Amino acid sequence: MSTTDDEGRSLSIIYATETGNAQDAADYIARQCRRIGFQCRITSVDAFSLPDLLSENIVVFVVSTTGSGVEPRAMTPFWTNLLRGDLPPDTFEDLFFSVFGLGDTAYEKFCWAAKKLSRRLESLGASEFYVRGEGDEQHPLGIDGALEPWADGLLNTLLEISPLPAGIEITSANTLSPARVSLTATSQSAPELSDPLKSDLQYHAAVVKTNDRITAADWYQDVRHLEFDLEDNIQYDPGDVAVIHPSASSANVASFLSTMNWADTADQPFEISQSMQDQSLPDHLPKMTTLRILFTRFLDFNAVPRRSFFQFIRHFTSDELEREKLDEFLSQAGADELYEYCHRVRRTTHEVLAEFRHVKIPRDYIFDVFPPLRPREFSIASSVKKHPHQIHLCVAIVKYRTKLKVPRKGVCTSYLSTLKPGDTLLIGIKKGLIKLPAKNDTPVICVGPGTGIAPMRSVIEQRISSGSHSNTLYFGCRSASQDQHYGSEWHGYSSSQHLHYRAAFSRDGPEGEKRTYVQDLIRQDAEQIWRLVGEHKGWLLISGSSNKMPAAVKDAVAFAAEKHGGYSAEEARKYVDLMVREGRLIEECWS
């Protein structure tokens, strides 16, 4: 592949994401490609079809991974079509592609969706023109730790493929990129803060019915049970997720606007025009708005800033000492210092700007400097069969301390914690990863420690409402009396013979004794576990933290297969893998 025509100096960047990180990475890649004269088109994979791919020449895919190596939900239709057996091996013989994966090494199948996509495209004749990159959330600098050096290599390869035309020079990496929008003051009256989701049919009006703390009042963690009433005839399945757009508190917004010296103009309306089409904007963004509205609903000033934030603000400070410090942060030698200053203590964008007092951000650059305030997703903790017109959530309110004086708080969980009965909001519904067997008499084993209990409550309610008695729940927490979420419900179902309930309370044992976790109970119950998943072909559903728990649970099931199924250790592991391939073992886990 070697060309210098207009087509050869353009490419498409297709992103597939759950959290928005892939979209941010796609924006960064497009900015870098623009430096060497390439025109970029960015689109989400759910707006991109297989026939579209046939007409592409150069494509960069940016793909995150969910659950147990599963592609993002938005990518599922595209991926399903890509797996069609009738596609000839030369389907994409004219396609040159590269993939950057986003993942977390805390998960067992790191960047699995990106790896699968690379292999499948090559099997259909496409050529990988640049080596796959893999960003790790566990890196001290997050995804940027791998993205930036990978993007540098991508640019070099693109220049080899398509050298710079005469008269065009490479833009320095230190050059300020053009703003992605222009803001124009308008004489129209300021718009009211109406919810921009009202016109989106995927969202439903909800009224808060209950917002109760379900952990003990003196317990270190505040976990809430929330119930919402909805007029719409909503339908969802166990494992589906509720999508909630948070709002920053008015006090926090006012404080931030004061820090930025924008308080006097915070309510002056302006119109937004997109200048750079290869850069994304927040969803549901109105054409006319104010700074106060933007930083309440659309832009996140409480996020931990990425390196690109510091790259931008070094252009906007009038103080030489501040610029020197920012240059030091951005240097290769200063990476550790940036980590200590920012990422390790989870310092927010607002806090950084409060310290770098000479930074004056031009209004047109606010969408470049500040990340979108994206919606958050929570597993639904109820069955619509038992609770029609309702959605229940089980949410841990994020609040923790670092070396900084002010505690760190989650934007969305803080928003949810303030909701009172009668308050209204809009809630979206998305398909989850969990599925249920078609037959009610097929055994289902649910493993859901902590707030991983949320989708399991939905599963169990649905199964019991459908007449099933073959249900087992393994729940884990620290203390039976402090954080046993929905304990009275599980004991009630157990008494009525609808549920076999096993709970591990890791801190309730005698001091100094080995702690007991859900995987330990599964090993203790190995004979019964094998009877359910081996002899009766039962299903295993795992939800919760993605640290060591999911792998330990699968090891415990393999132990049961070896001890009571007559398998060798290797055959037992293969049996667990077979359960995954058959769809009888499903993980809905997060880091």
Side-chain angles (χ1 to χ4, degrees), residues 271-314:
E271 294 182 350
I272 302 173
S273 300
Q274 188 168 4
S275 305
M276 304 303 296
Q277 298 300 320
D278 64 357
Q279 299 290 281
S280 63
L281 293 176
D283 293 337
H284 304 95
L285 187 68
K287 290 186 177 180
M288 186 174 73
T289 187
T290 66
L291 287 174
R292 191 181 307 277
I293 292 174
L294 281 179
F295 286 102
T296 299
R297 292 301 305 271
F298 298 100
L299 294 174
D300 192 354
F301 58 88
N302 286 307
V304 177
R306 298 178 59 176
R307 274 176 56 87
S308 59
F309 166 81
F310 294 96
Q311 290 167 344
F312 272 108
I313 68 170
R314 70 171 299 280

Side-chain angles (χ1 to χ4, degrees), residues 44-57:
S44 173
V45 70
D46 58 0
F48 195 79
S49 68
L50 210 59
D52 293 330
L53 194 56
L54 288 169
S55 63
E56 296 288 340
N57 183 28

Side-chain angles (χ1 to χ4, degrees), residues 505-519:
F505 308 116
S506 62
R507 302 299 194 273
D508 281 353
E511 190 71 28
E513 285 197 5
K514 184 177 181 293
R515 292 170 178 170
T516 301
Y517 300 100
V518 288
Q519 58 265 30

Side-chain angles (χ1 to χ4, degrees), residues 321-341:
L321 291 177
E322 288 185 354
R323 187 175 291 107
E324 288 179 5
K325 174 55 70 175
L326 292 168
D327 285 339
E328 185 178 341
F329 282 161
L330 293 168
S331 69
Q332 188 172 359
D336 289 342
E337 186 176 356
L338 176 59
Y339 170 72
E340 292 291 332
Y341 172 76

Side-chain angles (χ1 to χ4, degrees), residues 9-225:
R9 298 199 61 77
S10 65
L11 59 86
S12 294
I13 304 175
I14 315 300
Y15 65 87
T17 187
E18 291 285 344
T19 64
N21 275 348
Q23 186 174 1
D24 293 340
D27 283 346
Y28 177 81
I29 294 167
R31 286 201 304 271
Q32 301 311 304
C33 290
R34 195 192 313 137
R35 288 176 42 224
I36 61 171
F38 267 76
Q39 297 178 346
C40 299
R41 178 174 73 101
I42 296 181
T43 185
S44 173
V45 70
D46 58 0
F48 195 79
S49 68
L50 210 59
D52 293 330
L53 194 56
L54 288 169
S55 63
E56 296 288 340
N57 183 28
I58 307 176
V59 176
V60 175
F61 291 92
V62 187
V63 180
S64 60
T65 297
T66 65
S68 181
V70 180
E71 75 281 352
R73 297 172 182 87
M75 184 177 170
T76 298
F78 176 82
W79 179 242
T80 301
N81 283 329
L82 205 59
L83 292 178
R84 280 168 34 195
D86 60 346
L87 294 177
D90 61 349
T91 299
F92 299 116
E93 62 180 352
D94 296 324
L95 175 67
F96 295 85
F97 77 94
S98 184
V99 178
F100 185 82
L102 292 84
D104 188 323
T105 47
Y107 284 76
E108 185 179 4
K109 294 184 176 179
F110 172 63
C111 284
W112 207 250
K115 294 173 182 176
K116 291 192 296 184
L117 177 62
S118 293
R119 288 195 296 267
R120 182 55 178 161
L121 288 173
E122 286 191 315
S123 73
L124 293 173
S127 300
E128 187 176 51
F129 74 90
Y130 182 61
V131 64
R132 183 180 67 249
E134 296 178 353
D136 181 11
E137 289 285 3
Q138 297 297 319
H139 189 282
L141 297 178
I143 296 299
D144 292 337
L147 175 61
E148 293 190 9
W150 181 87
D152 290 341
L154 177 73
L155 298 195
N156 291 333
T157 303
L158 287 172
L159 285 172
E160 292 175 7
I161 294 170
S162 180
L164 278 173
I168 296 181
E169 296 182 356
I170 297 176
T171 304
S172 169
N174 293 325
T175 301
L176 178 62
S177 301
R180 68 183 70 188
V181 302
S182 63
L183 306 182
T184 307
T186 177
S187 59
Q188 298 183 43
S189 59
E192 295 183 3
L193 184 54
S194 60
D195 199 315
L197 304 176
K198 288 182 177 178
S199 59
D200 191 331
L201 298 179
Q202 297 182 41
Y203 286 82
H204 308 273
V207 179
V208 179
K209 179 183 179 183
T210 298
N211 187 352
D212 293 333
R213 177 171 177 146
I214 58 175
T215 47
D218 59 348
W219 192 240
Y220 79 99
Q221 188 176 49
D222 180 0
V223 176
R224 301 294 181 92
H225 172 73

